[in-house]
């Protein structure tokens, strides 16, 4: 987390920039004290159902075991910039899937591009069929190393275009 770190295009005009300041330094002052300010969608974060579902649960309303358990990482590194991760790409992992697993999709995009504008504008994204595949397999958490939603690439937030969010979050 650094001051001025890259945030999604739709948040740049509506939220204050990420800021981190050190007021006291442990080496110099014997104690470390800092200040941090950020929108919730900067860096690694979790979306709760309320993010897109009116009346849906917030993070604090979800049980802790929602965030614990066995997981599987699916290699999706074959996906190209501005292309969707598809259900067809995920299908070979079906034999390893169990309902209630956490599923993480690896494209290598974050390793290559985080901190650049291209991370947001050229990122692969999760296709609606892949989001439904995750729901159908019973994934309780879906994690990504890319900018998940094609609808979120716009500099203007339009919740109607967040179809992948709806598929995942409306299904818990």
């Amino acid at each position: 987390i650094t001051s001025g770190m890259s945030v999604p295009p739709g948040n740049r005009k509506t939220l204050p920039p990420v800021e981190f300041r050190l007021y006291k330094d442990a080496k110099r002052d014997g104690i470390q004290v800092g200040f941090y300010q950020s929108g919730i969608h900067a860096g690694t974060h979790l979306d709760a159902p309320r993010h897109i579902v009116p009346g849906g649960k917030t993070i604090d309303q979800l049980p802790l075991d929602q965030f614990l358990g066995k997981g599987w990482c699916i290699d999706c590194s074959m996906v190209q910039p501005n292309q969707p991760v598809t259900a067809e790409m995920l299908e070979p992992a079906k034999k390893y899937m169990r309902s209630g697993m956490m599923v993480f999709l690896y494209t290598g995009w974050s390793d290559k591009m985080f901190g650049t504008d291209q991370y947001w504008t050229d990122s692969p994204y999760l296709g609606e069929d892949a989001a439904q595949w995750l729901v159908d397999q019973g994934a309780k958490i879906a994690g990504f190393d890319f900018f998940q939603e094609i609808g979120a690439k716009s500099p203007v937030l339009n919740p109607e275009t967040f179809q992948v969010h709806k598929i995942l979050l409306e299904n818990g």
Side-chain angles (χ1 to χ4, degrees):
I1 297 171
T2 59
S3 290
M5 70 183 273
S6 185
V7 297
N11 293 343
R12 292 178 186 171
K13 292 181 181 176
T14 58
L15 294 175
V18 175
E19 183 179 356
F20 177 79
R21 271 183 284 174
L22 198 58
Y23 284 102
K24 299 281 186 182
D25 180 88
K27 189 173 183 178
R28 181 188 68 224
D29 303 311
I31 190 169
Q32 186 112 347
V33 179
F35 168 82
Y36 170 69
Q37 165 185 279
S38 175
I40 292 172
H41 288 87
T44 301
H45 66 278
L46 289 164
D47 285 341
R50 175 78 57 89
H51 178 47
I52 204 82
V53 179
K57 289 185 178 181
T58 57
I59 290 289
D60 61 309
Q61 294 172 328
L62 295 170
L64 186 58
D65 67 356
Q66 177 73 31
F67 309 103
L68 304 170
K70 293 185 179 191
W72 194 257
C73 183
I74 301 175
D75 184 352
C76 300
S77 58
M78 74 291 289
V79 70
Q80 297 298 305
N82 287 310
Q83 295 298 309
V85 170
T86 65
E88 182 180 357
M89 291 176 189
L90 304 181
E91 192 61 27
K94 188 173 185 173
K95 61 186 169 193
Y96 303 106
M97 296 298 302
R98 303 292 177 269
S99 184
M101 287 183 90
M102 298 184 293
V103 180
F104 301 95
L105 305 182
Y106 172 78
T107 64
W109 190 253
S110 188
D111 293 336
K112 294 183 276 190
M113 303 303 288
F114 191 75
T116 70
D117 277 342
Q118 288 77 24
Y119 175 82
W120 309 106
T121 59
D122 297 339
S123 178
Y125 56 91
L126 191 64
E128 291 177 35
D129 66 326
Q132 189 61 55
W133 186 93
L134 290 165
V135 168
D136 293 346
Q137 302 316 307
K140 70 175 181 177
I141 291 280
F144 319 95
D145 71 342
F146 53 91
F147 194 35
Q148 173 207 354
E149 175 81 65
I150 192 168
K153 289 185 176 198
S154 172
V156 177
L157 289 177
N158 182 357
E160 292 78 34
T161 65
F162 283 44
Q163 295 305 308
V164 166
H165 276 74
K166 288 178 183 177
I167 292 167
L168 295 175
L169 297 175
E170 286 179 349
N171 288 285

